[in-house]
Amino acid sequence: MRNNFNLDALVRPNVKAMEPYSSARDEFTEISDDLVYLDANENPFNTGVNRYPDPHQQKLKTILAKQRGINSSNLLLGNGSDEILDLLFRAFCEPKTDSIITVPPTYGMYKVLAGVNAVRNKEVLLTSSFQLIVAGILEAIDETTKLIFICSPNNPTGNSIASEDIQQLLASFRGLVVIDEAYIDFSKQQSWVNVLDEYPNLVVTQTLSKAYAMAGIRLGICIASEAIIAVLRKIKPPYNVNTLTQERAIAELESINDIKERIHLIISEKELLSKQLLEVNFIQDVLPSDANFLLVRVDDANKRYTELTQQGIIVRNRSTQPMCDNTLRITIGTPSENKRLRTVLKNME
Ligand SMILES: *Cc1c(COP(=O)(O)O)cnc(C)c1O
């Protein structure tokens, strides 16, 4: 099927008509000692944070773009990827008119944001092995469908979504396919960023919250064509990524080897833990995971959740999600935390 992708036809009319807000700091982004800044009504006394942040996060974007082998113009940064997901709704989905498709069981924010933005959410369940039903998704698409959200590796199931299936959607859907790669750094799978040039309707989101150990600074990453990024840039709040976040992210990314080392440790702990969990007699299944968590099926999730909580271990009960009855989602902790988890589970037998 040939995909006559037309970005212009997807953008909401009010967004198309807008000029981006131009902030004072847009005109002079480099804070230099030689210049006197009387343009933004800032406080002139230096506290380290008295100036507005760079609204385009140029230094941070240069580092992130280099690490991903792309250009800065393919990047938009947000206050967590949750802000980026919200911007996608606001740029492309007309409230009370347009719709999106999600594929549960998956990340809950897509549905929440659809609700907030008054956009209809059509759900097409995954298969029992948590893969896409491509024919069902294609059937659910109509002229109001603007976005399809695919989470890979998927939360809460942990598996990656088959790339042939995603390719098929990218090739046939005339809206945007948003691939949430929050857990990509724990996976052996290639990032979809590598094929950005092949698909004008591809949007990838990533985050510093998980593998990069910076959930507290809130930095989300959107990677897409320059044209899509330009639309999002038009509507993003000018100072959505604050100075402290930009500075801390730059500092941490300079120690990329430390970040990679922690990722490797989490992956090896996950492999160890997934074997050990199978030895617990009330754990029936440990799902294969490309992420930093394991979804386990137990005899009675409510009971086991309560028992774990009483022992001071907090996990997530995912039993209300479709096809996830009696499942607990367990994040991989430090080696000593994982050991404690194992001891507590054994004592619960
Ligand atoms: C944790 C998570 C995120 C991260 O969101 P941030 O707002 O960047 O912290 C995004 N998507 C999925 C699927 C997640 O599990």
Side-chain angles (χ1 to χ4, degrees):
M1 203 187 303
R2 179 132 171 75
N3 190 347
N4 298 308
F5 180 70
N6 179 358
L7 181 62
D8 230 31
L10 283 182
V11 181
R12 286 172 65 196
N14 62 313
V15 173
K16 219 180 318 188
M18 272 176 61
E19 288 295 328
Y21 171 71
S22 174
S23 69
R25 217 29 96 235
D26 267 314
E27 291 164 42
F28 293 94
T29 53
E30 275 300 317
I31 297 288
S32 119
D33 291 342
D34 312 337
L35 297 172
V36 178
Y37 288 94
L38 307 178
D39 59 343
N41 299 345
E42 296 155 332
N43 191 304
F45 299 106
N46 185 10
T47 60
V49 286
N50 57 315
R51 297 293 175 188
Y52 279 105
D54 172 8
H56 305 298
Q57 311 98 21
Q58 294 188 50
K59 191 170 174 199
L60 177 53
K61 274 189 192 160
T62 303
I63 299 170
L64 290 168
K66 196 171 164 201
Q67 286 178 357
R68 283 160 183 71
I70 53 172
N71 295 318
S72 288
S73 53
N74 296 116
L75 278 178
L76 184 107
L77 305 183
N79 183 5
S81 35
D82 289 349
E83 183 186 37
I84 286 165
L85 298 170
D86 187 52
L87 287 174
L88 287 165
F89 277 93
R90 294 202 280 148
F92 298 105
C93 299
E94 200 59 32
K96 298 185 181 174
T97 304
D98 286 336
S99 66
I100 61 155
I101 293 176
T102 58
V103 289
T106 192
Y107 188 45
M109 273 311 281
Y110 317 134
K111 187 179 187 170
V112 170
L113 290 169
V116 168
N117 288 288
V119 169
R120 199 153 54 95
N121 173 30
K122 284 192 259 181
E123 299 188 325
V124 181
L125 293 187
L126 295 173
T127 66
S128 55
S129 49
F130 304 122
Q131 290 295 332
L132 300 178
I133 301 176
V134 177
I137 295 172
L138 294 178
E139 205 164 295
I141 294 169
D142 63 26
E143 67 285 353
T144 70
T145 315
K146 297 299 178 77
L147 309 170
I148 299 177
F149 288 91
I150 311 282
C151 185
S152 184
N154 189 35
N155 180 4
T157 58
N159 63 294
S160 298
I161 303 298
S163 55
E164 314 82 68
D165 292 348
I166 294 180
Q167 259 161 12
Q168 210 180 325
L169 289 183
L170 281 165
S172 31
F173 179 44
R174 297 189 60 184
L176 301 180
V177 178
V178 182
I179 306 180
D180 185 336
E181 292 190 336
Y183 300 96
I184 191 68
D185 298 285
F186 299 108
S187 163
K188 290 193 187 79
Q189 301 280 322
Q190 291 282 308
S191 165
W192 284 89
V193 169
N194 297 318
V195 292
L196 206 58
D197 292 343
E198 292 170 41
Y199 299 106
N201 58 340
L202 169 62
V203 176
V204 178
T205 64
Q206 298 178 350
T207 177
L208 297 193
S209 294
K210 309 285 161 59
Y212 286 79
M214 287 182 256
I217 70 170
R218 313 301 302 126
L219 194 92
I221 304 168
C222 179
I223 304 140
S225 71
E226 257 180 58
I228 293 173
I229 295 296
V231 173
L232 297 174
R233 198 173 277 168
K234 252 180 155 181
I235 64 164
K236 89 167 183 69
Y239 303 121
N240 63 329
V241 180
N242 71 66
T243 303
L244 299 176
T245 294
Q246 294 187 44
E247 288 177 354
R248 185 62 185 267
I250 290 165
E252 296 283 337
L253 290 170
E254 273 165 14
S255 326
I256 190 75
N257 287 336
D258 294 348
I259 292 170
K260 285 184 178 162
E261 219 168 276
R262 285 194 295 255
I263 293 171
H264 286 135
L265 181 57
I266 289 169
I267 293 171
S268 68
E269 280 293 304
K270 175 180 68 181
E271 282 160 6
L272 180 67
L273 190 64
S274 78
K275 286 193 200 98
Q276 293 171 336
L277 291 179
L278 277 172
E279 291 161 11
V280 176
N281 70 8
F282 58 84
I283 293 182
Q284 290 152 2
D285 202 7
V286 179
L287 274 71
S289 166
D290 286 338
N292 67 334
F293 56 81
L294 292 165
L295 192 71
V296 301
R297 190 161 261 126
V298 295
D299 54 349
D300 181 341
N302 291 334
K303 174 174 168 229
R304 300 305 180 183
Y305 174 84
T306 306
E307 287 173 347
L308 278 168
T309 306
Q310 284 162 351
Q311 298 298 316
I313 294 180
I314 319 300
V315 299
R316 199 92 205 270
N317 189 347
R318 294 283 74 188
S319 302
T320 55
Q321 294 269 310
M323 295 174 288
C324 293
D325 43 303
N326 283 318
T327 58
L328 300 175
R329 193 192 65 197
I330 305 176
T331 308
I332 308 303
T334 63
S336 70
E337 287 171 338
N338 301 333
K339 214 164 147 191
R340 173 150 167 228
L341 168 71
R342 186 163 165 255
T343 310
V344 166
L345 287 170
K346 274 290 180 190
N347 289 337
M348 283 163 51
E349 282 185 348

